[in-house]
Amino acid sequence: MSKFDNIDFNSLTQADLVYLLGLKGKEQKKLIEKAREVKLKSVGNIVYLRGLIEYSNVCAKNCHYCGIRRDNTTDSKYVLTHDEVLSCAEYAYSKGFGSLAIQSGEISNTNFVNTVESFLKEIKLKTNDGLGVTLSMGEQSEEVFKRWLDAGAHRYLLRVETSNRELYKKLHPNDNLHNFDNRVNTLKLLQKLGYNTGSGVMIGLPFQTLEDLANDLLFLKELNVDMVGMGPYVEHAKTPLYKYKGELLPVSERFELTINMVACLRLLMPNINIAATTAMQAIVKNGREQAIIAGANVIMPNITPLKYRENYLLYKDKPGTKEQIEDSIESLTKSIKGIGHSIGFNERGDSLHFKIRNKIIG
């Protein structure tokens, strides 16, 4: 009997998680199978679609790892027009998407806030409130979050990227715009206001250890999030962190580590939503499908107009920048069926964890 067989999966410790995150080969397959069993029992085999709209690559932040950071002035900056956002939303609705995920760089000026509020209201009106909406637009004030919630958003993703304070400082400038406590307090505020609240971390960062990643998982559980989007760190040449590329794990190992993170998170938090992120596909062609097998249940096809996609490069070799959405949905449906799952067309797919946490169901 191996160490794996002696683990109490109902009470995973940091030491257990460090061990599980390091698994490879046959032992890793046992971990993935265990996570798959837990997922099917807890949330079933439905994969929910979020039509991804990359609204703007303008950002006030200057994070050391991100390709759309403020000081990267070599890429063309853009903001989708009101009509372009609505066109994307109507397209998603007509194709049976249950939800949108609208993301942008972090901006908080009045025009930005008002514009987002305006198109949220119109999306809700034009689709007869038929589309769920996840926003990922960084830290905002309580007033702004309330306005966007009232306008039609009901999920919010705010990734913390790491729960290690010292590592967080290495990933961000040392100023009030990049403060770990502000980030965490904003997540708690989102929960208080009634959002389906999500966060996430990067995996395979410079300076990061398995202990850090195990603590990240426990942090997400303690924070009691409803959904998680996490993926492998993929370096970008126009960022300060790129100088440490020689210290990184090979991308194949970062991918395998991410698979283990997804599986462990499913074991820790059986009824949350976990996204199979695009960064996994950047490393392995069927990376998102592998993540679904390991425990993920959300996928986000990119429906941003093609002319903008090459300028929303958070990292190098980002997939989908030249692919028509019709092609990707057709192939995606086929590949999801091929791994024994089905797509929840016309379903919002809100987190079961959120419903239980808010006593919407028993």
Side-chain angles (χ1 to χ4, degrees):
M1 184 177 290
S2 69
K3 182 176 179 178
F4 182 94
D5 299 311
N6 290 319
I7 288 178
D8 179 1
F9 288 97
N10 294 313
S11 184
L12 289 168
T13 66
Q14 190 220 37
D16 292 332
L17 291 168
V18 170
Y19 164 73
L20 293 172
L21 290 174
L23 293 179
K24 298 180 180 179
K26 292 182 179 180
E27 293 293 282
Q28 183 194 39
K29 290 180 180 178
K30 291 169 68 174
L31 170 64
I32 292 170
E33 180 57 30
K34 179 70 176 178
R36 178 180 173 276
E37 290 174 5
V38 169
K39 183 184 82 165
L40 293 178
K41 181 178 179 181
S42 301
V43 296
N45 73 333
I46 304 297
V47 177
Y48 299 108
L49 295 178
R50 310 280 188 253
L52 177 62
I53 302 175
E54 295 165 333
Y55 173 58
S56 173
N57 66 350
V58 179
C59 191
K61 296 286 184 79
N62 217 18
C63 304
H64 297 326
Y65 53 83
C66 184
I68 66 168
R69 62 196 305 268
R70 184 184 68 225
D71 284 357
N72 180 10
T73 58
T74 57
D75 292 335
S76 298
K77 298 299 182 182
Y78 76 87
V79 181
L80 266 63
T81 67
H82 185 89
D83 288 345
E84 285 172 331
V85 174
L86 292 177
S87 178
C88 290
E90 289 172 338
Y91 173 85
Y93 186 57
S94 71
K95 295 298 182 182
F97 284 62
S99 292
L100 299 174
I102 309 175
Q103 68 181 34
S104 75
E106 298 199 22
I107 317 168
S108 56
N109 62 57
T110 301
N111 181 63
F112 178 81
V113 171
N114 290 344
T115 302
V116 172
E117 181 180 34
S118 175
F119 67 60
L120 285 171
K121 288 179 178 178
E122 196 156 352
I123 288 170
K124 187 173 184 178
L125 180 65
K126 284 187 175 293
T127 65
N128 195 29
D129 201 20
L131 278 177
V133 179
T134 303
L135 293 182
S136 183
M137 296 179 168
E139 298 166 29
Q140 305 288 341
S141 69
E142 182 171 353
E143 177 195 1
V144 169
F145 285 138
K146 285 180 178 177
R147 286 173 58 184
W148 289 349
L149 186 66
D150 291 341
H154 67 287
R155 291 190 292 257
Y156 205 97
L157 177 66
L158 185 70
R159 288 173 45 143
V160 72
E161 305 303 3
T162 179
S163 62
N164 181 323
R165 288 174 177 270
E166 293 306 310
L167 180 53
Y168 192 92
K169 290 178 181 178
K170 293 178 180 178
L171 301 180
H172 302 87
N174 183 23
D175 58 34
N176 288 333
L177 278 179
H178 307 80
N179 183 280
F180 179 82
D181 289 321
N182 289 347
R183 202 77 169 174
V184 174
N185 289 336
T186 301
L187 283 163
K188 293 177 180 178
L189 171 62
L190 288 162
Q191 289 176 315
K192 184 187 80 170
L193 293 175
Y195 278 95
N196 281 254
T197 303
S199 193
V201 297
M202 284 186 291
I203 300 155
L205 287 160
F207 324 115
Q208 191 179 54
T209 66
L210 290 182
E211 287 76 14
D212 290 330
L213 290 169
N215 288 335
D216 287 342
L217 293 170
L218 294 171
F219 170 84
L220 292 169
K221 182 178 182 180
E222 181 181 1
L223 196 59
N224 207 21
V225 294
D226 306 303
M227 55 189 191
V228 170
M230 59 184 181
Y233 168 66
V234 183
E235 63 273 23
H236 190 296
K238 298 172 184 174
T239 63
L241 213 61
Y242 190 72
K243 65 184 177 182
Y244 298 105
K245 64 177 181 176
E247 300 178 25
L248 296 172
L249 293 171
V251 288
S252 59
E253 292 185 28
R254 278 178 261 168
F255 177 84
E256 294 301 327
L257 188 52
T258 302
I259 290 292
N260 289 357
M261 282 283 286
V262 169
C264 287
L265 182 61
R266 179 57 69 190
L267 296 174
L268 268 180
M269 305 185 76
N271 55 22
I272 68 169
N273 280 350
I274 302 175
T277 56
T278 306
M280 303 190 76
Q281 189 185 359
I283 295 176
V284 176
K285 187 174 182 180
N286 69 339
R288 292 182 302 184
E289 289 80 2
Q290 290 192 46
I292 290 167
I293 293 170
N297 67 325
V298 171
I299 205 159
M300 298 189 293
N302 195 335
I303 61 173
T304 309
L306 277 173
K307 65 181 180 178
Y308 296 114
R309 292 190 203 174
E310 289 189 344
N311 289 314
Y312 203 91
L313 294 180
L314 303 178
Y315 48 83
K316 72 174 184 177
D317 300 329
K318 181 183 169 189
T321 57
K322 301 182 186 299
E323 184 179 37
Q324 293 288 353
I325 184 63
E326 291 86 353
D327 297 334
S328 63
I329 288 297
E330 181 180 353
S331 61
L332 187 58
T333 301
K334 183 178 180 181
S335 65
I336 295 301
K337 287 183 178 179
I339 57 173
H341 290 66
S342 60
I343 291 179
F345 286 109
N346 300 303
E347 295 185 48
R348 285 195 177 197
D350 284 331
S351 164
L352 178 60
H353 183 270
F354 172 81
K355 295 175 182 178
I356 294 172
R357 182 168 65 83
N358 289 275
K359 299 181 174 58
I360 297 172
I361 60 176

